[in-house]
Amino acid sequence: MAQSVLHKANSRSVADHGWLKSFQTFSFGGNYNPERIQFGALRVLNDDYIDGGTGFGEHPHDNMEIISIVLEGALKHEDSMHNVAVIEPGEIQVMSAGTGIYHQEYNRDEQHPAKFLQIWLFPNQRNVTPRYQQERYDTTLLPNQFIQILSPNPDDAGVWIYQDAWFHIGEFEAGLKIDHPLKHAENGIYVFVIKGSIQVNGQDLAERDGLGLWEINSLEINTLTEAEILLMEVPMNY
């Protein structure tokens, strides 16, 4: 029988550090909620706003798949593997932290804020050699369709990670019905509305709402307005 958990945008924890405002779906840092630890392998979903010219100084990670999706502005990335890159809208970045990595990210624009999604997944392999990958995607090339931007397969579209997870993103017109099958029936899928209003399997969702579903084979999405939607399919046994 289908199971679900609803996380309305205004129910998220907020960490306001002045230069950073972070809306956190799951427990993170000093914001702890025993009912909001994770959704399967999905551990962190932070909706971050970074002031111009500021950012995260050098800090470590290990044994986590760390994904960044920039929504507005641009982030400059540097890490201990000597990667230096700029991440812009229409790009997804992943670090498999593995045995350990240091990195820093800054808003490249001195005047305007940057907005990005910071997503962490538990890996299915521990202590791997750290790796970095960044890929572009373009939702305008396939309007009203979901584009795969992450998978467990290096030969698939988008970035790959050490986890049986699939991410899809798409921009849609109002008044559409979209059916989206899951890759594995034992997985769950977390729907995050970046923009607009939609209905998913009968549940109304507004901008920045999240809905996790499991014990299902597919999603039925109806777009109530123009919408941008992120789907994160992940294993549930975590």
Side-chain angles (χ1 to χ4, degrees):
M1 184 176 177
Q3 304 290 321
S4 66
V5 59
L6 174 63
H7 298 138
K8 299 295 288 183
N10 62 6
S11 74
R12 298 176 296 175
S13 297
V14 182
D16 191 343
H17 301 285
W19 62 273
L20 166 70
K21 195 167 188 178
S22 181
F23 297 85
Q24 301 164 351
T25 297
F26 304 106
S27 293
F28 188 84
N31 288 326
Y32 174 73
N33 181 341
E35 297 180 356
R36 293 270 195 107
I37 302 298
Q38 63 197 84
F39 177 79
L42 175 59
R43 175 61 188 87
V44 169
L45 174 55
N46 290 355
D47 185 6
D48 288 346
Y49 296 63
I50 304 175
D51 282 350
T54 67
F56 300 91
E58 187 175 72
H59 59 280
H61 294 285
D62 64 76
N63 288 311
M64 193 68 72
E65 301 296 301
I66 299 173
I67 298 128
S68 297
I69 299 174
V70 173
L71 304 177
E72 294 182 25
L75 293 179
K76 184 176 181 180
H77 166 95
E78 297 182 28
D79 62 44
S80 54
M81 295 181 291
H82 308 296
N83 294 299
V84 178
V86 174
I87 316 161
E88 298 179 325
E91 294 184 317
I92 180 171
Q93 174 223 59
V94 64
M95 293 188 302
S96 296
T99 54
I101 184 173
Y102 283 82
H103 80 127
Q104 54 187 311
E105 284 180 317
Y106 285 89
N107 183 349
R108 190 180 63 169
D109 192 318
E110 293 288 333
Q111 304 299 323
H112 301 98
K115 301 177 183 180
F116 80 109
L117 300 179
Q118 180 183 175
I119 303 165
W120 296 6
L121 298 186
F122 291 114
N124 58 16
Q125 297 183 46
R126 292 181 59 81
N127 298 320
V128 300
T129 300
R131 58 176 294 274
Y132 176 93
Q133 187 182 3
Q134 183 175 333
E135 297 288 343
R136 288 201 62 81
Y137 62 87
D138 189 348
T139 55
T140 65
L141 295 178
L142 293 170
N144 300 317
Q145 297 184 50
F146 281 110
I147 297 171
Q148 181 177 290
I149 57 173
L150 177 147
S151 81
N153 188 343
D155 297 324
D156 271 0
V159 297
W160 68 274
I161 65 171
Y162 290 99
Q163 187 51 272
D164 294 322
W166 286 263
F167 285 14
H168 292 79
I169 196 167
E171 295 187 36
F172 300 89
E173 299 171 358
L176 298 178
K177 177 183 174 182
I178 308 109
D179 293 313
H180 180 82
L182 272 66
K183 297 288 186 178
H184 292 304
E186 65 272 19
N187 281 356
I189 190 162
Y190 197 90
V191 182
F192 186 73
V193 184
I194 297 172
K195 295 178 183 176
S197 298
I198 64 176
Q199 187 179 78
V200 180
N201 290 23
Q203 174 67 58
D204 288 344
L205 300 175
E207 188 165 306
R208 274 10 191 222
D209 287 351
L211 178 68
L213 303 105
W214 65 104
E215 297 183 12
I216 62 170
N217 294 313
S218 64
L219 296 178
E220 180 182 294
I221 300 172
N222 294 280
T223 56
L224 307 179
T225 67
E226 291 184 354
E228 184 175 4
I229 308 163
L230 174 64
L231 304 179
M232 294 169 277
E233 179 179 337
V234 297
M236 294 300 292
N237 56 340
Y238 281 82

